[in-house]
Amino acid sequence: MSEKIVISPTSRQEGHAELVMDVDDEGIVTKGRYFSITPVRGLEKIVTGKVPETAPVIVQRICGVCPIPHTLASVEAIDDSLGIEIPKAARQLREMTLAAHTVNSHAIHHFLIATDFVPENLMATAINSVSEIRKTVQYVVDMVAGEGIHPADVRIGGMASNISETARKRLYARTKALIPKIDAHVDLMIGLIADKDLPDGLGVVNVPTLATHPLYGDRTKFDLDRFTEIMPETWYDDPEVGKRACSTIPLYDGRNVEVGPRARAAVFGSYNEKGVVAQHVARAMEMKTNVSKIVDLLAELDTSAPVMADYDVTGTNKLGIGAIEGPRGMDVHMAQIADGKTQFYSCLVPTTWNIPTMGPATEGFHHEFGPHVIRAYDPCLSCATHVIVVDDDDRSVIKNEMVRI
């Protein structure tokens, strides 16, 4: 006899979500559905009608975990709409900011999953390692982008200022010294995850992967004509889930896709492993590649070079696209600027892409492994939330489109 198990809200993630699993008599998941129940804040609507400079400041507050990708995707989208070509040094500083944030975010995830994988005798070692890594890379963001959480120096047209030569040398020395520590941390976590001996095939789903760049992002690799989105009521077979879900279902070539560390590893590194363990391994390995990228960028940076382009804020109503490979996957922002104001703004965030995949990824295994699957994707639900128009009385969907607020 089938039983329905509901975990609401799911834990150790940003925002609120629900995991609904139909299980058989042996506790095996026969149907999994995962969806956001985080209330809408309306930040895309807030920036519409305001000067473009407002958008990066507002949308970076979509989420306290992902402010850097949203800031960068925002300025990239507005740069594109206004036809701005930013200076080389500005691009290097932006890449440095994202790389440092990615290492920080992945380290936080290791803290969140520590109780799943780290034995008591190694807990202090793992947590101290996370803390040391975060302290260094957050220092990089502070110095390069103005602030570690809401980076005020990432601007339309480039960056507010270049860093000094003294700061460059200090950051280079500190980040280079971090490399062996990250190597040891990554090796520790990958080893502990392997020791957990999770079931073969746990979390494997056969969907396409989507990534635009191995580290930063490339708007030319995202084809908007191949993108569509549908209402959750259409995607989920359970009407109650469709009503409660707060995010659309984005499709690429008519299919849901996977984004994130494993997707990047598959697209750009020929990494063929799938499932929970593969997600964790790919995420950990990105810590190594990103810290090395920071060191390389600091070695190349000309601290006397300009970091701000001249531009006209009037705009032509061109649809600009910013595609940033955030820690959780491809973050796409779209902006149209005309008459000096933002006429349209929309976000296609990483977790929105992954939400349709996570529920089915729990199927075929005991329901106790369901939270393992969800945590492997490291979802961020505040980013993924939009809103559905519903009837005030019976809460039924009365408008078959997503209101972008």
Side-chain angles (χ1 to χ4, degrees), residues 84-142:
I84 300 170
E85 186 70 31
I86 69 170
K88 176 182 177 181
R91 167 74 181 214
Q92 290 171 320
L93 292 172
R94 286 185 182 182
E95 289 187 13
M96 206 180 302
T97 301
L98 181 62
H101 169 73
T102 298
V103 175
N104 176 60
S105 181
H106 290 350
I108 292 173
H109 185 254
H110 285 165
F111 175 79
L112 294 176
I113 65 170
T115 54
D116 292 336
F117 297 105
V118 181
E120 187 64 32
N121 65 314
L122 291 175
M123 187 65 75
T125 299
I127 299 307
N128 289 339
S129 176
V130 165
S131 298
E132 186 173 1
I133 290 168
R134 293 193 61 224
K135 182 178 180 179
T136 300
V137 292
Q138 282 292 80
Y139 178 69
V140 173
V141 179
D142 284 340

Side-chain angles (χ1 to χ4, degrees), residues 69-80:
H70 289 311
T71 306
L72 291 168
S74 182
V75 295
E76 292 276 346
I78 297 171
D79 287 344
D80 188 32

Side-chain angles (χ1 to χ4, degrees), residues 52-53 55-56 70-87 90-91 94 153-160 216 219 307-313 315-324 333-337 342 345:
E53 292 85 355
H70 289 311
T71 306
L72 291 168
S74 182
V75 295
E76 292 276 346
I78 297 171
D79 287 344
D80 188 32
S81 181
L82 295 176
I84 300 170
E85 186 70 31
I86 69 170
R91 167 74 181 214
R94 286 185 182 182
D153 289 353
V154 179
R155 305 284 180 86
I156 298 167
M159 299 289 286
Y216 185 72
R219 68 171 64 92
V307 294
M308 179 59 71
D310 293 326
Y311 63 91
D312 181 358
V313 76
T316 62
N317 214 37
K318 173 190 173 184
L319 179 63
I321 295 176
I324 291 294
H333 285 216
M334 296 179 285
Q336 286 178 281
I337 312 299
T342 301
Y345 203 95

Side-chain angles (χ1 to χ4, degrees), residues 314-382:
T314 304
T316 62
N317 214 37
K318 173 190 173 184
L319 179 63
I321 295 176
I324 291 294
E325 291 293 331
R328 290 157 188 80
M330 182 187 66
D331 185 18
V332 175
H333 285 216
M334 296 179 285
Q336 286 178 281
I337 312 299
D339 301 322
K341 300 291 179 62
T342 301
Q343 306 298 327
F344 169 78
Y345 203 95
S346 185
C347 310
L348 306 171
V349 306
T351 294
T352 309
W353 293 100
N354 282 334
I355 277 177
T357 298
M358 288 189 270
T362 66
E363 295 170 6
F365 296 89
H366 196 276
H367 65 82
E368 291 182 352
F369 290 108
H372 271 290
V373 173
I374 302 306
R375 285 195 285 272
Y377 281 90
D378 191 19
C380 184
L381 285 310
S382 291

